Amino acid sequence: MEAGGLPLELWRMILGYLHLPDLGRCSLVCRAWRDLILSLDRTRWRQLCLGCIECRHPNWPNQPDVEPESWREAFKQHYLASKTWTKNAAILETSVCFSLFRRRRTRRTLSVGPGHEFHSLGSALAMASLFDRILLFPGMHEEQGEVILKVPVEIVGHGKLGEVALLASIDQQCSTMRLCNLVFMPAWFSPFMFKTTSGHVQFDNCNFENGHIQVHGPGTCQVKFCSFKNTHVFLHNVPLCVLENCEFVGSENNSVTVEGHPSSEKNWAYAYLLGLIKSSPSVLPTEDSDSLMSLDLESRDQAWSPRTCGIVIEGSQSPTSPASSSPKAGSQEAEVGSDVERVARTPDSSDGGLSPSGEDEDEDQLTYRLSYQVQGPRPVLGGSFLGPPLPGASIQLPSCLVLNSLQQELQKDREAMALASSVQGCLIRKCLFRDGKGGVFVCSYGRAKMERNVFRNLTYAVRCIHNSKIIMLRNHIHHCRASGIFLRLEGGGLIAGNNIYHNAEAGVDIRKKSNPLILCNQIHHGLRSGIVVLGNGKGIIRNNQIFSNKEAGIYILYHGNPVVSQNHIFRGHAAGIAVNENGRGLITENVIRENQWGGVDIRRGGVPVLRSNLICFGYSDGVVVGDEGKGLIEGNTIYANKGCGVWMMSSSLPHVTSNHVSYNGLYGVAVFSQKDGSGEFPGGHGAQESFSEDGDAILWETELEKDEDPLRRPVTVALVESNSVNHNGASGLYVQSSEALHVITNVIHANGDRGITVAQSSQLTRVANNSISCNRQSGVKVEAQCKVELRGNGIYDNRGHGIITKGDSTVVIENDIIGNRGSGLQLLPTSDTKVIKNRIHSFRAYGIAVQGRAKVLVQENIIFQGKTNKTIFQQISNNRECIMQNNKFLVFKKKSDTWRLANPPARPHLENSLRGPSAAHGGQKVTAMATRITAHVEGGYHSKRSIFCTIL
């Protein structure tokens, strides 16, 4: 095109009048003309696409108001697809012509209708040759007998869609045919409007009403821009069928049934359909923001931090005084008020916020040093959740907890990528299923792939049973009257990138050994659970957003055993994950937050492995282990829940190990007797989610597997070990139980009430090798009629007494009870206590204080003197049942006296006790530090009524 020619706008106006063949010829003139023709995309190409009677809007029926990226490309794709049925024309024509120099035969057009060449479709077919075109003019065309097609033809309605109706039952026995622009209705003698067993059929821009379409393998079909009203499409053993841009409305049963394994025998059209699918734009996503997360907890720090500490006592500074440098542990000298003596404080060693105001001492104190070891909490998740939550602040998750996009997940999982890219059986894409009973039913080893469809207002969207496989990518499934996606009887496949919401039952229902991969979906606002796994169902549930469902985000029961990893489960109206009725599962590396009930709820024989999850900001408890709940709870961060961090019933047998439990509103870990809280469980603890779908749930118990995981360690008693429990609103550990409990090698630090409170313990509660420090009140309190053994613990720097007890059978043996502001031990009336081989010290009060008629054996202890005006041992009355034997009392004589905890070193001794993830990593960090401590005597206690009962 010459530069001095007509303006481009004028050329576009002129070329806008050309027909399709002329546009093609103009584009071949030169590059400038080609570019000019391509620039007509929003004008002439749009007119040609919308004006074609064989197709509709490229985004019909789901997004008819959204323009395609290129009208020319959309028109091209449809034009190529409409010619698929003729791809074998050369083969057929050669087979019937024996002349080497034959002339190419032209296609005839046969007209059918009043006043035209033929009066019926049957008479036209009797005269048709290969690939002829039969044109049906407006009107009602009814065939009284079955129409058998033996030669490839094209049947097209003339005029607008809806003006030509065909009442017939067609049996295709030829290799290929095409039907376009017709309204199909069943004949009076058969519900089948069309069926084929071996050939290829192509439907374009047709309406089907109140009948059936049947395709048997190796037959194939290609359906585009068609409407199905109360019509059932049955595909049996098909190697490949394509349903694209279709609408299915008002089905009384399933809209599409895919049955049987794809036939190994394939007709001529299989290769062409496969090439057409691969040449179309890919549905696989690129990088975007609709899939959000990747949970990577591999960088989490260990939950344990043994640290060598020094304690400096002096009366010249307040307990909240800032400090700068740290003397070496075990230093021989310390001077009162010396500028050289500086004390380094850390947030984990002493919490100034826990110290009540107005407790400064006026008396001078002598200075001495006790060298010992304190277990303090280590940062987790890169330190993101160490500090207290800010009231009213929005929740900001660290970057390591952001979800991966679907493309990132598929790139990491090559098997999933291969599955997402494969095409076998039936391909359904860009279709709308609405206002009927069922969407797609895949059974008996069937294979189906669904892309970018919309399923709405159905009883269910997709059912997959009997060893069938489905691939679902980028579909919208909502407002179903039952479950959105239902898998049973070993169904499987890939469910990825879907938006599943507002369904009356579960978004995804997995039963009876089904094992799908559920990846990067949004499952939300369901009227029940997001995902249900039961009846030996399995599956991998990864990298999904599951939120705002009325029941549990994921509900596992009746031996369901999925792998649940790297999901975000939040803002649910019940539990984040519920494991019930002998459910199992590996639940790892999830973010479970802001749920109304427990973040994870385990009851009635549930035995999950709950590992390395972040459970935070819940409106009730972090983890609830209800009646007969079991399982391994390991390496989780349980943070800032309004209730307890971990809530257990005494009839449960969980193994709670290596968790970081901090900044929860009530207890860090609470163990309650089932008998004591009947009907009074707060926040919905007493309630249970009902389950009924497709029959009574109890029927599943007849088919449950009994296999046991060999990696699970048997637990015969509830076990709480190797956890960091710190900065919780009430006691770190609260026990009100009628069954045995072991509390071993935990760090219980800086909690808002006592470190450990044993309110009821008719069976033995064993507390061994724990570090209990810096709690607002006593380190340990044992109520009356409790059986408790305290062995090998380090009880340091608590704001009240070290241990206070009135239990019937309390054994305190080989503990270090040092630096507490109240008495080291306070033994109340009616208590029966054995105090053996402990090292005991108090700042301002007595080493041991015996009140009333307590029965006490004090034997082979080392007791350090505290203040100058206090004795080491106090006995209120002449108590003959208080026995003192072979104790050693250390009284300071001068300021330079130095006492050390050596032989054995300071407790707890954890070298041989660490378990769980923390023990797997070698090399615990040991840092030197010194902490300035000033104590106060405990001023009061909570009433006997549990704080737990006031939640919500």
Side-chain angles (χ1 to χ4, degrees):
M1 183 181 299
E2 296 295 331
L6 295 175
L8 292 178
E9 290 77 7
L10 187 56
W11 275 114
R12 292 191 180 102
M13 183 179 297
I14 295 172
L15 295 175
Y17 289 95
L18 297 183
H19 296 286
L20 180 62
D22 299 324
L23 288 174
R25 296 185 187 97
C26 290
S27 65
L28 298 176
V29 173
C30 63
R31 181 169 298 185
W33 278 79
R34 174 179 173 78
D35 293 341
L36 183 60
I37 297 300
L38 295 179
S39 70
L40 303 176
D41 188 80
R42 301 293 177 184
T43 54
R44 185 54 181 162
W45 288 111
R46 183 178 186 275
Q47 293 173 359
L48 289 173
C49 188
L50 294 178
C52 178
I53 64 169
E54 299 181 0
C55 67
R56 307 188 194 187
H57 190 286
N59 290 325
W60 182 89
N62 293 327
Q63 295 177 306
D65 298 330
V66 178
E67 291 197 356
E69 294 183 4
S70 171
W71 286 97
R72 176 183 173 276
E73 185 64 27
F75 188 61
K76 173 185 174 183
Q77 291 294 330
H78 174 73
Y79 179 82
L80 294 176
S82 66
K83 302 302 179 184
T84 302
W85 76 285
T86 63
K87 295 297 182 180
N88 68 335
I91 300 174
L92 291 176
E93 290 177 355
T94 301
S95 65
V96 297
C97 181
F98 298 94
S99 172
L100 181 62
F101 302 101
R102 62 183 175 85
R103 180 181 299 176
R104 182 177 179 84
R105 189 181 63 83
T106 58
R107 294 176 57 192
R108 294 187 302 162
T109 298
L110 309 180
S111 300
V112 178
H116 293 277
E117 184 180 359
F118 298 95
H119 295 285
S120 68
L121 175 62
S123 59
L125 289 173
M127 300 300 295
S129 300
L130 295 177
F131 300 101
D132 282 346
R133 182 184 181 97
I134 299 176
L135 193 62
L136 301 182
F137 281 83
M140 182 78 69
H141 300 265
E142 183 176 4
E143 298 296 323
Q144 298 299 320
E146 186 177 47
V147 178
I148 299 177
L149 298 177
K150 295 186 176 181
V151 294
V153 293
E154 180 183 30
I155 303 174
V156 180
H158 184 273
K160 295 181 179 179
L161 179 63
E163 294 179 351
V164 181
L166 178 61
L167 282 71
S169 177
I170 300 175
D171 183 3
Q172 178 188 350
Q173 297 180 4
C174 57
S175 61
T176 183
M177 74 168 300
R178 178 174 184 251
L179 299 107
C180 177
N181 203 42
L182 298 169
V183 176
F184 282 87
M185 298 179 185
W188 61 271
F189 55 86
S190 173
F192 287 95
M193 295 179 287
F194 185 92
K195 58 184 178 181
T196 183
T197 56
S198 59
H200 172 74
V201 61
Q202 182 170 335
F203 296 101
D204 288 319
N205 198 35
C206 293
N207 289 350
F208 298 86
E209 298 180 4
N210 304 313
H212 302 290
I213 296 174
Q214 188 176 74
V215 180
H216 280 257
T220 57
C221 70
Q222 182 181 359
V223 185
K224 198 166 184 179
F225 297 113
C226 292
S227 291
F228 297 82
K229 183 178 180 180
N230 191 26
T231 298
H232 180 207
V233 179
F234 183 83
L235 307 174
H236 182 78
N237 294 112
V238 292
L240 188 59
C241 283
V242 180
L243 306 179
E244 190 170 9
N245 292 94
C246 295
E247 181 182 36
F248 296 82
V249 184
S251 63
E252 295 179 356
N253 204 327
N254 313 303
S255 294
V256 179
T257 296
V258 183
E259 181 181 19
H261 194 278
S263 172
S264 58
E265 181 183 357
K266 300 176 176 60
N267 65 15
W268 67 270
Y270 177 84
Y272 291 100
L273 285 177
L274 196 61
L276 188 67
I277 293 169
K278 292 182 178 180
S279 65
S280 61
S282 175
V283 75
L284 294 181
T286 56
E287 289 298 325
D288 52 26
S289 59
D290 61 342
S291 295
L292 298 178
M293 74 173 163
S294 165
L295 179 58
D296 180 11
L297 299 184
E298 304 226 347
S299 62
R300 62 174 289 145
D301 295 323
Q302 301 173 16
W304 289 91
S305 172
R307 296 182 294 186
T308 303
C309 305
I311 177 168
V312 180
I313 307 167
E314 60 181 359
S316 59
Q317 295 188 11
S318 70
T320 57
S321 300
S324 56
S325 62
S326 170
K328 293 182 179 179
S331 172
Q332 296 294 327
E333 297 184 3
E335 299 179 5
V336 178
S338 170
D339 292 336
V340 178
E341 179 69 14
R342 301 287 185 183
V343 181
R345 296 180 67 254
T346 68
D348 294 331
S349 62
S350 150
D351 193 338
L354 294 176
S355 179
S357 60
E359 297 200 19
D360 293 340
E361 289 277 341
D362 294 331
E363 307 175 46
D364 290 336
Q365 297 181 12
L366 293 177
T367 302
Y368 57 93
R369 184 179 301 278
L370 291 174
S371 177
Y372 60 91
Q373 188 180 53
V374 172
Q375 292 293 324
R378 285 290 306 279
V380 293
L381 296 173
S384 301
F385 290 95
L386 272 185
L390 299 177
S394 60
I395 298 172
Q396 297 292 333
L397 295 176
S399 58
C400 65
L401 301 181
V402 175
L403 294 176
N404 281 344
S405 68
L406 177 56
Q407 184 66 22
Q408 289 172 326
E409 283 295 313
L410 293 177
Q411 287 175 351
K412 291 195 307 182
D413 190 339
R414 296 300 178 186
E415 184 177 350
M417 174 65 86
L419 193 60
S421 303
S422 64
V423 180
Q424 194 178 22
C426 178
L427 171 62
I428 304 172
R429 61 183 176 186
K430 299 181 182 178
C431 294
L432 172 62
F433 296 80
R434 64 178 178 90
D435 304 323
K437 181 178 179 180
V440 179
F441 180 48
V442 187
C443 61
S444 302
Y445 296 89
R447 299 291 186 270
K449 183 174 185 178
M450 287 154 270
E451 300 177 349
R452 296 185 184 275
N453 303 287
V454 174
F455 300 83
R456 71 169 189 252
N457 298 323
L458 304 167
T459 300
Y460 64 87
V462 178
R463 292 171 69 96
C464 177
I465 67 172
H466 289 117
N467 299 93
S468 299
K469 298 291 183 291
I470 57 175
I471 301 171
M472 299 193 66
L473 302 174
R474 296 299 187 89
N475 301 281
H476 287 258
I477 301 171
H478 59 95
H479 292 95
C480 293
R481 294 181 289 277
S483 297
I485 303 172
F486 187 79
L487 301 102
R488 63 185 294 180
L489 297 173
E490 301 187 54
L494 172 66
I495 301 171
N498 302 282
N499 190 10
I500 305 171
Y501 59 98
H502 283 298
N503 297 292
E505 298 288 346
V508 182
D509 189 313
I510 305 169
R511 309 187 186 194
K512 286 192 174 182
K513 300 184 182 180
S514 295
N515 190 20
L517 172 58
I518 302 175
L519 186 66
C520 296
N521 301 280
Q522 291 188 359
I523 304 173
H524 58 98
H525 292 94
L527 300 184
R528 297 195 68 183
S529 297
I531 299 176
V532 169
V533 186
L534 73 156
N536 291 317
K538 299 178 182 178
I540 298 174
I541 303 170
R542 189 173 77 231
N543 214 76
N544 300 280
Q545 286 189 16
I546 304 171
F547 60 96
S548 298
N549 297 287
K550 286 194 174 180
E551 292 186 3
I554 298 176
Y555 196 10
I556 305 169
L557 66 165
Y558 297 117
H559 288 255
N561 191 17
V563 177
V564 182
S565 64
Q566 300 179 4
N567 302 281
H568 279 198
I569 305 170
F570 57 98
R571 296 177 187 167
H573 297 283
I577 298 176
V579 186
N580 211 329
E581 304 292 354
N582 300 304
R584 305 178 68 181
L586 174 61
I587 302 168
T588 178
E589 299 186 356
N590 302 280
V591 176
I592 305 169
R593 60 184 174 91
E594 302 176 84
N595 296 287
Q596 294 289 340
W597 291 11
V600 178
D601 192 300
I602 306 168
R603 300 175 190 264
R604 297 180 183 175
V607 195
V609 174
L610 185 65
R611 179 178 291 140
S612 300
N613 301 280
L614 172 60
I615 304 170
C616 61
F617 300 107
Y619 295 101
S620 183
D621 305 315
V623 178
V624 176
V625 186
D627 184 23
E628 299 180 6
K630 300 178 183 179
L632 174 63
I633 302 170
E634 180 182 25
N636 303 282
T637 298
I638 305 171
Y639 172 82
N641 299 284
K642 290 189 177 181
C644 303
V646 179
W647 185 91
M648 299 188 294
M649 296 183 69
S650 62
S651 56
S652 61
L653 292 175
H655 182 185
V656 183
T657 178
S658 305
N659 301 282
H660 189 94
V661 185
S662 62
Y663 291 101
N664 297 286
L666 295 180
Y667 307 109
V669 179
V671 183
F672 279 85
S673 173
Q674 182 180 9
K675 299 176 182 178
D676 297 329
S678 58
E680 297 294 336
F681 296 127
H685 290 303
Q688 292 291 333
E689 297 176 76
S690 62
F691 182 87
S692 64
E693 189 168 324
D694 287 0
D696 294 331
I698 196 67
L699 297 178
W700 297 110
E701 293 186 337
T702 61
E703 302 183 20
L704 303 182
E705 294 179 346
K706 302 297 183 182
D707 59 314
E708 294 295 334
D709 188 345
L711 299 179
R712 295 174 190 258
R713 187 170 136 196
V715 177
T716 58
V717 63
L719 180 60
V720 180
E721 67 168 342
S722 304
N723 302 282
S724 174
V725 184
N726 64 90
H727 296 91
N728 297 287
S731 297
L733 171 66
Y734 187 93
V735 181
Q736 184 177 323
S737 172
S738 58
E739 297 184 4
L741 172 68
H742 289 180
V743 182
I744 302 173
T745 63
N746 299 280
V747 175
I748 302 174
H749 174 81
N751 295 286
D753 196 77
R754 303 174 187 93
I756 298 177
T757 299
V758 184
Q760 176 188 335
S761 179
S762 56
Q763 298 293 323
L764 179 65
T765 296
R766 183 168 177 259
V767 182
N769 294 326
N770 300 279
S771 174
I772 306 169
S773 62
C774 301
N775 297 287
R776 185 182 289 274
Q777 295 195 34
S778 302
V780 180
K781 182 176 182 181
V782 181
E783 295 286 357
Q785 300 180 349
C786 292
K787 296 180 180 179
V788 179
E789 176 186 313
L790 296 162
R791 182 187 294 268
N793 302 284
I795 303 174
Y796 304 113
D797 311 333
N798 298 285
R799 292 347 188 221
H801 305 293
I803 299 173
I804 178 170
T805 178
K806 49 184 176 182
D808 289 349
S809 178
T810 305
V811 178
V812 183
I813 182 169
E814 296 180 350
N815 301 280
D816 287 342
I817 308 169
I818 305 295
N820 301 285
R821 298 189 183 183
S823 299
L825 277 86
Q826 186 173 61
L827 312 178
L828 300 178
T830 73
S831 64
D832 184 354
T833 307
K834 295 179 181 179
V835 184
I836 302 171
K837 296 183 179 179
N838 300 280
R839 293 181 291 197
I840 304 170
H841 161 266
S842 173
F843 273 109
R844 300 183 179 91
Y846 303 95
I848 300 177
V850 181
Q851 299 182 358
R853 305 293 297 179
K855 183 178 179 180
V856 183
L857 171 61
V858 182
Q859 184 178 14
E860 298 182 18
N861 300 280
I862 299 175
I863 306 176
F864 302 91
Q865 184 181 13
K867 294 173 60 174
T868 56
N869 61 351
K870 298 283 187 180
T871 59
I872 292 177
F873 182 84
Q874 180 198 39
Q875 184 172 342
I876 301 300
S877 62
N878 185 15
N879 187 355
R880 294 183 179 181
E881 296 187 359
C882 180
I883 302 173
M884 306 279 293
Q885 294 179 350
N886 303 324
N887 297 286
K888 182 178 181 181
F889 299 89
L890 297 182
V891 181
F892 56 79
K893 298 180 180 179
K894 54 184 179 179
K895 293 183 179 181
S896 60
D897 285 347
T898 301
W899 298 326
R900 297 186 182 181
L901 300 184
N903 193 26
R907 298 181 178 95
H909 302 151
L910 303 177
E911 289 79 5
N912 298 321
S913 302
L914 289 176
R915 295 173 181 172
S918 300
H921 302 288
Q924 300 287 341
K925 277 191 176 182
V926 179
T927 59
M929 58 168 287
T931 306
R932 186 182 310 278
I933 300 295
T934 303
H936 72 280
V937 178
E938 190 173 33
Y941 302 93
H942 292 291
S943 64
K944 293 183 179 179
R945 188 173 70 88
S946 171
I947 302 175
F948 185 80
C949 294
T950 66
I951 181 174
L952 296 181

